[in-house]
Amino acid sequence: MQTTLQGRSYQRGEITLEELAALTAGFNYASALLHEDLLGNDYDAVVVDGDLHLPSLTLGEPLAFLVVTGNLVIDGACVDCDEPATGLYVLGNLQAGSVWTGGMLGVQGDLTVARTLAGFYNDYAAIVKGTTRAAVFFPENHYFQFEGAPTFDVVLGNAAPYRVPKQWAAQVTETLKGRALLDRAVGLESDDLPALSAEQIETFGATELLDAHALYTRVQADSPVLSD
């Protein structure tokens, strides 16, 4: 559960749905999360004016919608989810140790991730209007809308090129798979691995070779998923 942030709260009557919609108007689909069925007694929306620096951030209950009007720096993991539906919108730059996103993520500036940028499921999307930089990118089935060129050291997941706009697909082809992936994975081998042939292991990527749940657990704990 996320600790209380010092900001303007929807539950406390300090910000309205109309004001939240205006702040996030530059991002597609943000308004879909701004309705009383989501926000109310159980969930809150908060606006932090200016910059914000946190050791970690997890959205869900009670904080489901967060807008930071300046830069957001998170030393550890930044986690949002699709159940309940959450939205994180940064009108400046976002810097984090790791990012795990299943809900809506919007960054007006640059996104810089020291370790792993991971997606989960396909109901929502991540939108970055500046540049994106991450050591490891694992989109799974989550859509990432990069408006500036992304830069990743390692891309995992056989479908990664289909999770980003076409102009960047060539930059997110798999760069690590097979035995090279297993040699660097940090205790993430899939339970199905013994059933795969040697040829399959050489050609498969993270989706087949790695335990996705274990990978997500490490990302949410801001732990590396690959050895150096």
Side-chain angles (χ1 to χ4, degrees), residues 106-208:
V107 181
Q108 184 69 39
D110 299 334
L111 171 62
T112 304
V113 182
R115 281 165 286 282
T116 305
L117 170 60
F120 177 74
Y121 208 49
N122 60 358
D123 280 355
Y124 301 103
I127 301 171
V128 183
K129 299 198 171 186
T131 60
T132 300
R133 174 76 177 88
V136 179
F137 179 51
F138 181 52
E140 198 254 354
N141 202 29
H142 199 73
Y143 184 71
F144 287 80
Q145 180 179 321
F146 298 122
E147 297 191 9
T151 303
F152 308 114
D153 294 339
V154 174
V155 175
L156 304 178
N158 292 338
Y162 303 102
R163 301 297 92 196
V164 302
K166 290 182 179 179
Q167 66 264 40
W168 311 125
Q171 295 180 236
V172 294
T173 54
E174 291 73 35
T175 58
L176 190 65
K177 62 175 62 176
R179 292 294 176 185
L181 171 59
L182 291 178
D183 286 344
R184 290 189 58 188
V186 183
L188 300 175
E189 293 84 356
S190 169
D191 291 340
D192 297 329
L193 190 60
L196 300 179
S197 68
E199 181 178 358
Q200 288 172 322
I201 290 174
E202 287 303 324
T203 58
F204 282 176
T207 304
E208 292 84 2

Side-chain angles (χ1 to χ4, degrees), residues 59-73:
L59 296 185
E61 185 177 347
L63 180 59
F65 198 95
L66 174 63
V67 179
V68 178
T69 66
N71 298 322
L72 174 58
V73 176

Side-chain angles (χ1 to χ4, degrees), residues 50-89:
D51 297 340
L52 179 63
H53 189 173
L54 296 171
S56 63
L57 175 66
T58 299
L59 296 185
E61 185 177 347
L63 180 59
F65 198 95
L66 174 63
V67 179
V68 178
T69 66
N71 298 322
L72 174 58
V73 176
I74 301 172
D75 298 327
C78 175
V79 178
D80 65 69
C81 61
D82 66 324
E83 184 58 44
T86 63
L88 171 61
Y89 292 93

